[in-house]
């Protein structure tokens, strides 16, 4: 068989390299450069060094967005993980009709996050939303206006989390189910012979066995939840009173609404550094765990 030359191989990679250069490398490079400038509406640029970065570290407004981002990650990812794990255990049984139900549960993954946000914005509306109507009919609420999901600062972030949980729980279920199906059935059979019950089987055999898969899925979801924009923007645009405003929303508002390109670029650079550092540390601890003496 004739070997393919190196030049031919490079030609195959060239379209992908050009695409990455135009749509990834260049925007990041430009963003880093812009972060050192104060850019006016007309495009005039004034070099200000690290002033934008200092502002990002000291601005009191960022603390609320950082808190919202962390709350969003904790609420959404933890519930998605628990629900995904329980669903994976259920579908692992492979009963009649399980494949059909599993396929139906994967449906949210086919919906764009922006569309999912719009769907839940309509469903959680206090005027004509189906969620409050159902809560009234089953007796939890006395009126559809008792909970203003999108207009009350106490509920707005949770409402966005609900949409995210509905959209992304199937991903966690799929990842965990793949890990469970890859376990050695001999270990489970041996545990059952030794008298292990279902709870012991889950906590001592299945969970340790799928740890690499579970941690990988968690790292992907944490990073994805940290940079969530579409769902929150479609539902609340960060309001009311910035109660659901996360770091991604803050960066977008500074860039588009307030035309503060330099400051937005500085925050974006810091945000990317934090996410990359978290991913590297997480994956390093995953694939190179400390050996016990």
């Amino acid at each position: 068989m004739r070997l393919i030359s190196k030049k031919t191989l490079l030609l195959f990679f060239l379209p992908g390299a050009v695409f990455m250069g135009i749509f990834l490398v260049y925007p990041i490079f430009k963003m880093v450069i812009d972060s050192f400038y104060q850019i006016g509406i007309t495009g005039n640029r004034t070099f200000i060094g690290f002033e934008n970065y200092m502002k990002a570290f000291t601005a009191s407004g960022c603390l609320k967005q950082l808190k919202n981002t962390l709350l969003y990650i904790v609420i959404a990812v933890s519930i998605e993980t628990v629900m995904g794990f329980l669903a994976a255990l259920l579908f692992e049984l492979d009963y009649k009709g399980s494949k059909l139900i599993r396929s139906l549960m994967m449906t949210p993954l086919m919906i764009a996050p922006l569309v999912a946000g719009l769907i839940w914005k309509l469903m959680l509306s206090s005027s004509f939303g189906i969620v409050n109507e159902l809560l009234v009919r089953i007796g939890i609420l006395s009126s559809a206006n008792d909970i203003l999901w999108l207009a009350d600062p106490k509920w707005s972030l949770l409402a966005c989390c609900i949409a995210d949980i509905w959209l992304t729980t199937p991903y966690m279920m799929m990842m965990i189910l793949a890990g469970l199906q890859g376990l050695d059935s001999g270990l489970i059979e041996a545990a059952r012979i030794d008298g292990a019950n279902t709870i012991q089987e889950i906590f001592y055999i299945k969970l340790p066995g799928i740890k690499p898969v579970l941690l990988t899925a968690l790292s992907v979801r944490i990073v994805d939840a940290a940079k969530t924009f579409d769902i929150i923007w479609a539902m609340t645009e960060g309001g009311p009173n910035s109660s659901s405003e996360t770091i991604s929303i803050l960066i977008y508002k500074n860039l588009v609404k307030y035309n503060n390109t330099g400051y937005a670029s500085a925050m974006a650079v810091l945000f990317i550094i934090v996410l990359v550092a978290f991913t590297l540390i997480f994956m390093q601890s995953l694939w190179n765990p400390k050996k016990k003496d």
Side-chain angles (χ1 to χ4, degrees):
M1 183 177 66
R2 186 166 60 88
L3 296 176
I4 301 175
S5 65
K6 290 183 178 180
K7 289 184 178 180
T8 306
L9 289 174
L10 288 174
L11 287 174
F12 280 111
F13 284 105
L14 184 60
V18 171
F19 182 86
M20 291 287 288
I22 295 175
F23 295 102
L24 181 63
V25 177
Y26 172 72
I28 291 177
F29 178 76
K30 189 176 186 304
M31 180 179 65
V32 174
I33 298 299
D34 288 345
S35 67
F36 295 103
Y37 287 85
Q38 183 177 358
I39 304 172
I41 298 176
T42 59
N44 57 308
R45 303 163 69 89
T46 305
F47 182 78
I48 57 174
F50 288 93
E51 189 174 319
N52 285 322
Y53 289 95
M54 296 301 295
K55 183 181 177 182
F57 276 116
T58 58
S60 58
C62 291
L63 296 178
K64 186 173 185 179
Q65 286 76 13
L66 179 60
K67 177 186 174 183
N68 289 341
T69 303
L70 293 176
L71 276 173
Y72 188 89
I73 293 171
V74 171
I75 295 172
V77 176
S78 58
I79 295 177
E80 287 165 7
T81 303
V82 173
M83 292 180 64
F85 184 69
L86 293 175
L89 289 175
L90 182 64
F91 290 121
E92 188 193 16
L93 301 175
D94 197 23
Y95 51 88
K96 186 177 180 181
S98 62
K99 292 182 179 179
L100 176 61
I101 299 173
R102 185 173 64 190
S103 299
L104 292 174
M105 283 194 65
M106 299 298 291
T107 304
L109 286 179
M110 304 174 191
I111 300 175
L114 183 63
V115 177
L118 293 173
I119 291 172
W120 278 94
K121 182 177 182 178
L122 296 175
M123 291 176 63
L124 293 172
S125 171
S126 58
S127 302
F128 49 80
I130 190 174
V131 173
N132 277 12
E133 182 64 26
L134 288 174
L135 293 176
V136 169
R137 293 197 177 190
I138 62 178
I140 295 178
L141 299 180
S142 57
S143 169
N145 293 319
D146 286 352
I147 298 180
L148 304 176
W149 293 99
L150 305 176
D152 190 336
K154 295 185 297 184
W155 298 103
S156 58
L157 187 65
L158 179 60
C160 297
C161 290
I162 291 171
D164 191 282
I165 291 166
W166 173 80
L167 181 68
T168 322
T169 296
Y171 166 79
M172 296 299 292
M173 180 200 73
M174 180 178 63
M175 293 290 290
I176 295 171
L177 182 60
L180 290 173
Q181 292 177 340
L183 290 176
D184 185 1
S185 58
L187 290 174
I188 298 174
E189 291 297 330
R192 290 173 180 172
I193 292 172
D194 289 338
N197 57 36
T198 303
I199 302 298
Q200 291 171 330
E201 183 182 317
I202 291 172
F203 283 97
Y204 294 105
I205 303 295
K206 293 184 177 180
L207 271 177
I210 65 169
K211 183 179 177 181
V213 175
L214 182 59
L215 292 181
T216 302
L218 275 173
S219 66
V220 172
R221 274 302 301 136
I222 289 172
V223 172
D224 193 42
K227 62 184 182 65
T228 297
F229 172 82
D230 315 60
I231 289 177
I232 300 175
W233 186 258
M235 294 181 69
T236 64
E237 295 186 8
N241 195 26
S242 300
S243 58
S244 61
E245 190 172 88
T246 59
I247 297 294
S248 297
I249 301 293
L250 180 64
I251 292 172
Y252 176 81
K253 284 184 176 180
N254 274 278
L255 180 64
V256 177
K257 294 185 70 174
Y258 310 141
N259 201 38
N260 201 345
T261 306
Y263 181 47
S265 298
M267 285 193 294
V269 170
L270 293 173
F271 194 40
I272 290 173
I273 291 173
V274 170
L275 293 181
V276 170
F278 165 79
T279 304
L280 291 176
I281 294 170
F282 198 95
M283 298 309 292
Q284 181 73 14
S285 62
L286 173 60
W287 298 112
N288 297 298
K290 294 181 179 179
K291 294 182 179 179
K292 295 182 180 180
D293 295 333

